[in-house]
Amino acid sequence: RSFKLSYYNEYKSYLRMLSRASTYLRASVRTFSSVADRFSAAQTKLNTLTEDPGNAAKLKLYGLYKQANEGKCNISKPSGFNFVAKAKYDAWNGLGDMSQDEAKEAYITYVDELVGDSSDNSSSSDLDSPGVAGLEVTTESGVKTVRLNRPDKFNAITWEMYRGITDALNSAADDNNVKVVLLTGTGKWYSSGNDLSNFVKNMPAGGPQEMADNGRDVLLAFCESMIKFPKPLVAAVNGPAIGIPVTTLGLCDLVYCTEKATFKTPFVSLGQSPEGCSSFLFPRTFGLAKANEMLLTERQITAEEASAGGLVTRIIPEAEFQAEVDKVVKHMASLPPQSMKISKALIRQEIQDKLLEVNERECHTLRDRWLSDECMTAIMNFMSRKK
């Protein structure tokens, strides 16, 4: 009986040991699974990084990744002048006896520091600027879309819309989640240009003089935000365009339009003058004779003429327009952002300062034209015909 009791106690002790071992193993499996899953998620998260973190960061990531997957450095130090291989070796070898799980945890932490909280709204399609009437600004998958949204007014642009677009561009320039900005319109029109009620409604206390000064400042900042924008700026001209929506196309990097798009700049008949740097860019784009025909005779040109002249990148059939433009901008958003910005800077480098100079000259000239009898009479006549 004593022997049986001793055996029974040993058996219970053995069962308790097995139970503890089983609990430990289950916890270990859960921990391992958790670390492994988070390590895998961190690698996916790293792909969302919008800026080049630099060579030091990339070497640190390399070392941690190798340590996490293979353990302690197991290769010989490279010889000769293979500096890249030596740098990689040092990054891995420098981790010494760090365990694979510790390396995974360090990798996860470092990716979080580089990329930031994954709960950001970089893929959100919520409105960015819901307070600006006539303007819809959304951001999704690295593309910020600035949409003129007054279809009942042919997407005519108010002073508030100018300010809203300026703010959207300046914000996007500093936002690492935005890689491309797309400009487009709602409905059948891209835009009919300035809402001429800008010049007659809500006249400030300082009268026409203050109105003209304010308008000059708004337009100056608007065009400057396009000139200085460091990332790809794409225009999707979904229909007819008149005035400043035409002239500022030269400040965009890519311009797509439907076969129904038309382009007109009726400045002279309104007693005004060119803006959007068109006095400089149009002769460079079309040649002097064709530019004069647009800016001085106000001849409306077709999508085919705009494409042949170099103002438009490509004409896309209306039925395919939205899908094809989306495809283009999403592709651009997937490309290395630093390379994109550097390439654009090189392309624009020779004319950047010139464009800023031209913009200032054009805006000051327009301010004087707005105060002229010719312009005031033309605008009043236009407004009376609308009634």
Side-chain angles (χ1 to χ4, degrees):
R1 182 181 300 172
S2 175
F3 173 79
K4 288 182 178 180
L5 183 60
S6 174
Y7 179 79
Y8 176 69
N9 288 336
E10 287 182 12
Y11 178 67
K12 286 202 300 181
S13 177
Y14 176 68
L15 289 177
R16 284 196 296 271
M17 181 184 71
L18 285 178
S19 177
R20 286 195 297 271
S22 177
T23 301
Y24 173 77
L25 285 172
R26 285 196 299 270
S28 296
V29 168
R30 284 195 299 270
T31 300
F32 175 78
S33 176
S34 175
V35 172
D37 289 345
R38 289 188 293 116
F39 181 60
S40 178
Q43 294 170 59
T44 301
K45 186 176 182 180
L46 186 62
N47 291 330
T48 68
L49 193 64
T50 58
E51 300 286 342
D52 188 331
N55 289 333
K58 287 186 279 191
L59 285 170
K60 181 175 180 178
L61 288 167
Y62 170 83
L64 290 171
Y65 181 84
K66 295 291 285 186
Q67 191 86 358
N69 284 287
E70 300 181 31
K72 188 175 181 179
C73 183
N74 54 15
I75 60 173
S76 300
K77 185 173 182 178
S79 57
F81 295 96
N82 193 340
F83 299 114
V84 174
K86 283 183 178 179
K88 288 183 175 181
Y89 170 84
D90 290 339
W92 185 8
N93 188 60
L95 298 177
D97 294 321
M98 177 185 286
S99 73
Q100 288 179 262
D101 278 352
E102 287 174 331
K104 288 176 182 176
E105 291 287 1
Y107 182 95
I108 293 164
T109 300
Y110 194 49
V111 168
D112 284 342
E113 291 174 4
L114 290 174
V115 181
D117 189 349
S118 62
S119 64
D120 65 40
N121 63 353
S122 62
S123 293
S124 170
S125 59
D126 292 338
L127 289 178
D128 291 349
S129 301
V132 181
L135 196 64
E136 184 180 285
V137 183
T138 57
T139 304
E140 185 173 6
S141 302
V143 179
K144 182 183 283 288
T145 299
V146 180
R147 183 181 298 277
L148 306 175
N149 192 30
R150 297 180 75 201
D152 57 324
K153 299 291 184 180
F154 310 107
N155 295 328
I157 308 172
T158 64
W159 293 136
E160 291 75 18
M161 290 167 68
Y162 277 118
R163 294 187 185 97
I165 297 168
T166 302
D167 290 343
L169 288 174
N170 290 336
S171 172
D174 298 325
D175 187 347
N176 290 337
N177 292 320
V178 176
K179 298 182 181 180
V180 182
V181 166
L182 174 67
L183 306 175
T184 192
T186 298
K188 295 183 178 181
W189 278 69
Y190 180 57
S191 175
S192 58
N194 266 323
D195 185 333
L196 293 181
S197 65
N198 288 335
F199 301 99
V200 294
K201 288 184 179 179
N202 302 316
M203 185 66 67
Q209 178 86 35
E210 184 179 348
M211 178 275 298
D213 289 343
N214 292 342
R216 174 201 57 203
D217 294 343
V218 169
L219 191 60
L220 188 69
F222 170 72
C223 292
E224 186 173 301
S225 70
M226 297 184 74
I227 295 168
K228 291 184 174 181
F229 190 64
K231 304 172 185 179
L233 184 59
V234 181
V237 184
N238 53 295
I242 297 177
I244 194 166
V246 177
T247 57
T248 51
L249 292 177
L251 301 177
C252 297
D253 302 298
L254 294 169
V255 179
Y256 297 100
C257 75
T258 73
E259 68 276 20
K260 295 183 179 180
T262 55
F263 306 84
K264 187 174 183 178
T265 52
F267 302 125
V268 176
S269 62
L270 291 172
Q272 301 186 37
S273 54
E275 85 292 83
C277 297
S278 59
S279 64
F280 174 72
L281 289 174
F282 273 29
R284 286 170 60 99
T285 301
F286 293 102
L288 186 60
K290 288 292 185 183
N292 285 340
E293 187 175 37
M294 281 196 72
L295 297 175
L296 301 181
T297 77
E298 305 181 351
R299 178 176 174 269
Q300 177 174 287
I301 66 172
T302 64
E304 289 77 10
E305 289 175 295
S307 179
L311 185 66
V312 167
T313 307
R314 178 157 54 99
I315 302 170
I316 303 171
E318 188 175 34
E320 306 166 16
F321 187 67
Q322 189 63 57
E324 183 63 21
V325 170
D326 286 346
K327 180 181 175 182
V328 170
V329 294
K330 286 178 180 177
H331 170 67
M332 295 181 76
S334 72
L335 298 173
Q338 283 299 107
S339 179
M340 188 73 76
K341 289 170 68 175
I342 290 169
S343 297
K344 173 171 177 172
L346 286 171
I347 294 168
R348 293 276 181 171
Q349 181 175 326
E350 294 300 320
I351 61 171
Q352 177 89 349
D353 291 340
K354 183 65 176 179
L355 291 176
L356 293 172
E357 175 192 324
V358 170
N359 179 41
E360 188 163 348
R361 183 168 63 243
E362 287 180 343
C363 289
H364 282 288
T365 301
L366 259 179
R367 176 256 182 205
D368 293 341
R369 294 307 304 155
W370 288 335
L371 292 173
S372 69
D373 290 340
E374 282 185 343
C375 182
M376 289 184 179
T377 300
I379 289 175
M380 294 307 297
N381 287 340
F382 179 85
M383 297 301 294
S384 65
R385 288 198 303 269
K386 289 180 64 178
K387 292 179 181 179

